[in-house]
Amino acid sequence: DAHYLCVRAIERAAGTRSERAVWTVGHWVCEIWGVDESGGIDSGGGVFRALMEGVGCTSEKPIEMPQQNESDRLGAMSKLENSFAAALLESMDDDIGHDVNAVGVGRGPPSEGMSSALWEKIGVGGKFGETQEKIMQIKIDAELCALNGIYAAGNACSALSGLFAELVEECLQDEGVADSSVRTTGKSSMLAFARDELASHSRSYERLLKQRVRSLITDWCGADDVFDCDGRLCLQNLRLFIENEEYNLDSASFKTQESEERLEVEIIGPVRTSQIFIEVGQDKCDAAVTLQMAEAMSWKSTEIILDLLFRGDKAFNDWGAMLLSKQVRMLQNLYCGLVLDSTKAGATPINTASILKQFERINQAVSILQLEKPSDWLAFSYQVGESYDTNLTVEEIQKVMRLRVDFSEDAIMKVCSQMKAS
């Protein structure tokens, strides 16, 4: 609705051929979609506040609190110089303003999750007789709704930026400027400002979505606190599994431990039956949001495994390296499958390259553990990723090599010294 109103406003303002109308509407469209990435609610635009407040994300009727004084709201509207922009904002306020102060009795949100206003609005008490499971399900549905909204807001800002870009081109043609890179004044510069500002808002919503998804994964799948790792959540279970797994094996032990049935029950099953897989399986998320969730779970899983490897407590031989390789590969296929299975029939298949990218560092560690000797690493000149962020450092490579029980310290130090020198 917000996107539709803004498109109509921009088209009507452009049709007036009035620079003041275009500038005023352009300015307020940018304000409506503004994002406060610091996490505050009040300083963002109307759409951002609506998303953070969870407007429309739940059908549960909250406890009504005193509304903003109508005369104050109308007084603020009267300050707008352009009646057309005022009408636009008033339309937006009709959609989001009446629920902003409506909250229920509740507890705080998950760590770094959606704003406390959303969780307070839903409340924990619920209606009489409702179970805690139902209340939690309402909250989960509200979170997913808000994530879908953030993704849609990013797309809307990108589309509005494109609309302003078209108006810039038309304006430059009217002004007789052939090169669109030439800086101009007046109407075209106003349009260019709105175009760039909305493009910036679109990128901000993308970052916000990534941040919120990662916070949600932490809450649903397991936090970073190793000392509170009881295995109740699927990534906590993964940490405990890798922590207790034996990787210094003989061939008979390898055949037992690499069994598909065993790995499905102990490592894949808890993730496959986790809350996040169940919710995505019910088609509650846009495909792009599902992809972000799979990326976040992949990133978190690989960081858990790498953290345990870098501690230096595990012992590997070549059989153990093969076992870890299979476990990582099964996780990789699981997260890619989450995205591919959620793709609707007839829709364009989603590229899972971003998921595979999350596994580049752990795949590099697995390759090191599968070497016959440390010096082979220099012969391969092995690099998985295209940047520093997707490759292990020399210090990390050294830690991984030391996990192999048959690698001598002298051979490891020689290889690492040559890598540092190069």
Side-chain angles (χ1 to χ4, degrees):
D1 292 341
H3 175 257
Y4 172 78
L5 287 171
C6 289
V7 169
R8 291 293 303 275
I10 294 167
E11 291 175 345
R12 288 180 61 186
T16 64
R17 297 292 179 176
S18 167
E19 290 188 9
R20 183 177 180 183
V22 171
W23 172 247
T24 305
V25 172
H27 170 74
W28 283 109
V29 167
C30 292
E31 288 292 317
I32 286 168
W33 294 93
V35 179
D36 176 21
E37 295 189 77
S38 66
I41 297 175
D42 295 334
S43 53
V47 173
F48 173 79
R49 289 200 308 273
L51 289 169
M52 296 300 98
E53 296 283 352
V55 175
C57 289
T58 174
S59 59
E60 295 294 301
K61 187 176 181 180
I63 299 173
E64 295 294 336
M65 300 295 289
Q67 297 293 322
Q68 179 184 10
N69 188 290
E70 184 68 14
S71 62
D72 292 342
R73 189 178 73 88
L74 294 176
M77 294 300 301
S78 66
K79 296 179 181 179
L80 297 176
E81 295 180 356
N82 187 282
S83 60
F84 183 72
L88 170 63
L89 286 183
E90 190 169 11
S91 296
M92 294 298 298
D93 286 342
D94 287 341
D95 286 337
I96 64 173
H98 298 302
D99 289 330
V100 169
N101 294 314
V103 297
V105 180
R107 61 177 176 84
S111 58
E112 302 286 335
M114 304 309 294
S115 72
S116 58
L118 169 56
W119 285 72
E120 288 174 355
K121 184 177 178 181
I122 300 169
V124 298
K127 298 178 181 179
F128 180 76
E130 283 185 344
T131 63
Q132 288 299 314
E133 289 78 9
K134 183 176 180 181
I135 299 301
M136 184 55 63
Q137 185 62 56
I138 293 171
K139 292 184 175 183
I140 289 172
D141 291 343
E143 289 262 8
L144 295 179
C145 178
L147 291 179
N148 290 335
I150 293 172
Y151 170 68
N155 279 349
C157 286
S158 179
L160 291 170
S161 177
L163 178 56
F164 274 110
E166 293 176 3
L167 294 175
V168 169
E169 293 297 327
E170 293 177 5
C171 186
L172 290 176
Q173 291 178 5
D174 293 341
E175 294 175 359
V177 179
D179 186 359
S180 61
S181 64
V182 176
R183 295 180 62 88
T184 60
T185 59
K187 184 177 179 180
S188 60
S189 63
M190 298 174 186
L191 293 169
F193 170 81
R195 174 200 62 194
D196 297 340
E197 188 75 0
L198 285 163
S200 175
H201 290 340
S202 178
R203 293 189 293 270
S204 295
Y205 279 112
E206 290 176 5
R207 290 190 294 268
L208 179 63
L209 177 62
K210 184 176 181 179
Q211 171 195 341
R212 296 304 187 188
V213 166
R214 288 198 172 188
S215 297
L216 197 62
I217 294 302
T218 296
D219 295 320
W220 285 9
C221 303
D224 293 324
D225 191 353
V226 181
F227 301 101
D228 186 26
C229 191
D230 56 10
R232 289 180 295 105
L233 303 178
C234 63
L235 293 187
Q236 287 181 329
N237 178 81
L238 173 64
R239 182 185 292 276
L240 288 174
F241 176 85
I242 299 296
E243 204 168 39
N244 297 324
E245 185 78 329
E246 179 63 43
Y247 291 101
N248 190 8
L249 309 170
D250 55 28
S251 59
S253 298
F254 171 75
K255 289 181 180 179
T256 300
Q257 293 190 220
E258 66 99 28
S259 165
E260 295 275 350
E261 293 77 10
R262 171 182 177 267
L263 295 180
E264 176 65 34
V265 170
E266 297 192 24
I267 188 173
I268 301 301
V271 180
R272 196 189 305 278
T273 58
S274 64
Q275 184 74 44
I276 196 164
F277 265 66
I278 293 173
E279 299 298 332
V280 171
Q282 294 176 358
D283 197 25
K284 294 181 179 180
C285 300
D286 284 318
V289 175
T290 300
L291 179 61
Q292 287 275 358
M293 288 185 175
E295 288 178 19
M297 292 189 75
S298 300
W299 166 76
K300 191 72 174 177
S301 298
T302 58
E303 288 302 304
I304 286 173
I305 299 173
L306 285 171
D307 176 65
L308 293 173
L309 295 181
F310 293 156
R311 289 187 197 177
D313 299 332
K314 311 298 292 184
F316 282 82
N317 60 8
D318 51 354
W319 291 110
M322 290 174 61
L323 176 61
L324 180 62
S325 176
K326 181 171 184 177
Q327 292 167 348
V328 170
R329 189 168 61 253
M330 290 180 72
L331 284 171
Q332 185 173 284
N333 292 339
L334 177 66
Y335 295 135
C336 288
L338 172 65
V339 174
L340 296 175
D341 292 343
S342 67
T343 305
K344 296 180 180 179
T348 304
I350 299 177
N351 191 338
T352 58
S354 58
I355 298 176
L356 301 180
K357 183 178 180 180
Q358 308 303 318
F359 283 87
E360 288 179 349
R361 279 166 49 84
I362 186 61
N363 284 336
Q364 195 171 14
V366 168
S367 297
I368 293 170
L369 291 171
Q370 290 180 311
L371 296 173
E372 290 188 11
K373 55 186 182 296
S375 59
D376 288 344
W377 189 251
L378 296 175
F380 295 151
S381 297
Y382 195 86
Q383 280 194 331
V384 178
E386 299 177 352
S387 67
Y388 177 82
D389 293 337
T390 55
N391 285 287
L392 299 177
T393 65
V394 175
E395 290 75 16
E396 290 169 340
I397 291 173
Q398 184 178 18
K399 290 179 180 179
V400 174
M401 285 185 173
R402 283 175 172 166
L403 299 178
R404 278 291 296 263
V405 296
D406 52 341
F407 285 2
S408 70
E409 182 65 20
D410 290 342
I412 293 172
M413 292 304 298
K414 183 177 180 180
V415 169
C416 292
S417 298
Q418 293 184 40
M419 285 191 294
K420 289 180 180 179
S422 60

